[in-house]
Amino acid sequence: DGGITQSPKYLFRKEGQNVTLSCEQNLNHDAMYWYRQDPGQGLRLIYYSQIVNDFQKGDIAEGYSVSREKKESFPLTVTSAQKNPTAFYLCASSRGQSNTGELFFGEGSRLTVL
Amino acid sequence: QKEVEQDPGPLSVPEGAIVSLNCTYSNSAFQYFMWYRQYSRKGPELLMYTYSSGNKEDGRFTAQVDKSSKYISLFIRDSQPSDSATYLCAMEYGNKLVFGAGTILRVKS
C-alpha cells in the first residue's frame, strides 16, 4: 500500500538532546512537508521540500533542521534550540511541486520532552 | 486576528443528526478550500476540496463556500459514531496554506 510512514510514533527526550523523526513515502510525490500540531492551534508549517536536495523554511523553522537526500525521505531533527518541542509532528507529501492543499499525511510522531 | 477562525468545540450530536461545521477567514485571496478529518492520534485525511463558491457534495458530506461572506461550511447528513473526529478546515492561495484549529465532533449512539 502506498503511503507515508513516520517513526517513532512516540518519543521521549530529555532537555538538551537532539532527536530525529523519520518520514518515508512511497507515493512518488515530489513535495514533502513537516507540520507541528498543538492543542487549540492549526497545523503550523516547519519546513517543506519541493525537490531533492532543496528545502525551505516554513513559519516556525527555528530550532528545527531537515534534509532531503532522497525523494522518499524527509527526516526532521528537533534540536536543543527548540524552546518548546513537546508536540505532535506530522509529515505530509503532495503530488505537485507547489504547496498544494491536497496533502497526504503520515500518522504522526508525538514528542514529549521530560 | 487569525487568518482562519474555527470553533474548537467539542460539538456533541446524537446519531442521525445533521452536523454543520464552519470556518471564517479574513484573507480574500484564498482560492482553494479544504476539509480534513483527523481521528484521534492519527494524521489528517483529505475529505473535501473545493475551488469556487457554491456547494460540492460527496455522499453524506457537502462542502459549501461563500466567498462574499468569507465563510465555509461542511455539512454531514445522517451522522454516525464513526464520524467522531476532529475536522480541520484549510485554505490556500499561491503557495500559502493555512489550517484552522479544528472542531472536535462527537456523535453519540
Side-chain angles (χ1 to χ4, degrees):
Chain A
D1 283 335
I4 297 181
T5 302
Q6 289 187 241
S7 63
K9 287 181 77 76
Y10 300 94
L11 185 60
F12 297 88
R13 185 194 97 174
K14 292 181 180 179
E15 283 193 22
Q17 288 181 334
N18 292 355
V19 293
T20 297
L21 308 180
S22 170
C23 178
E24 302 279 331
Q25 57 104 352
N26 60 3
L27 299 167
N28 199 32
H29 286 172
D30 288 312
M32 297 186 74
Y33 312 82
W34 275 104
Y35 284 90
R36 171 181 171 139
Q37 186 174 33
D38 296 283
Q41 298 196 46
L43 274 65
R44 292 182 291 167
L45 183 64
I46 304 172
Y47 268 98
Y48 66 100
S49 168
Q50 296 177 339
I51 198 168
V52 174
N53 291 323
D54 188 43
F55 48 83
Q56 286 77 41
K57 293 182 179 180
D59 299 319
I60 55 164
E62 185 175 350
Y64 299 98
S65 66
V66 294
S67 63
R68 186 88 187 275
E69 297 177 1
K70 299 186 299 182
K71 187 176 183 177
E72 302 79 19
S73 179
F74 191 41
L76 173 75
T77 297
V78 184
T79 75
S80 56
Q82 169 50 232
K83 301 301 181 191
N84 185 20
T86 293
F88 190 51
Y89 290 89
L90 288 159
C91 180
S93 69
S94 66
R95 294 184 183 92
Q97 291 191 359
S98 61
N99 191 358
T100 172
E102 292 187 271
L103 299 175
F104 294 78
F105 284 90
E107 294 207 335
S109 293
R110 185 166 297 280
L111 172 63
T112 303
V113 174
L114 303 173
Chain B
Q1 182 190 8
K2 291 182 179 179
E3 279 190 288
V4 178
E5 298 278 1
Q6 185 174 11
D7 187 333
L11 177 63
S12 189
V13 301
E15 183 176 355
I18 296 174
V19 175
S20 173
L21 303 166
N22 312 295
C23 286
T24 59
Y25 60 96
S26 57
N27 191 341
S28 58
F30 286 125
Q31 294 181 305
Y32 300 91
F33 304 89
M34 290 132 279
W35 286 96
Y36 282 84
R37 177 175 62 196
Q38 184 177 22
Y39 291 114
S40 181
R41 290 185 287 274
K42 300 289 187 182
E45 56 178 334
L46 183 64
L47 205 55
M48 301 285 279
Y49 185 101
T50 56
Y51 170 64
S52 59
S53 284
N55 294 353
K56 181 177 181 179
E57 191 173 316
D58 184 2
R60 296 185 295 111
F61 299 90
T62 299
Q64 188 175 80
V65 175
D66 183 347
K67 288 188 176 180
S68 62
S69 301
K70 298 190 183 68
Y71 189 88
I72 70 170
S73 300
L74 178 70
F75 298 97
I76 306 175
R77 291 183 298 280
D78 186 26
S79 56
Q80 303 296 310
S82 58
D83 294 325
S84 298
T86 298
Y87 290 80
L88 304 159
C89 65
M91 308 178 187
E92 180 186 8
Y93 73 91
N95 282 339
K96 187 175 176 69
L97 178 64
V98 181
F99 284 87
T103 299
I104 298 170
L105 172 66
R106 296 177 183 149
V107 181
K108 299 174 294 185
S109 58

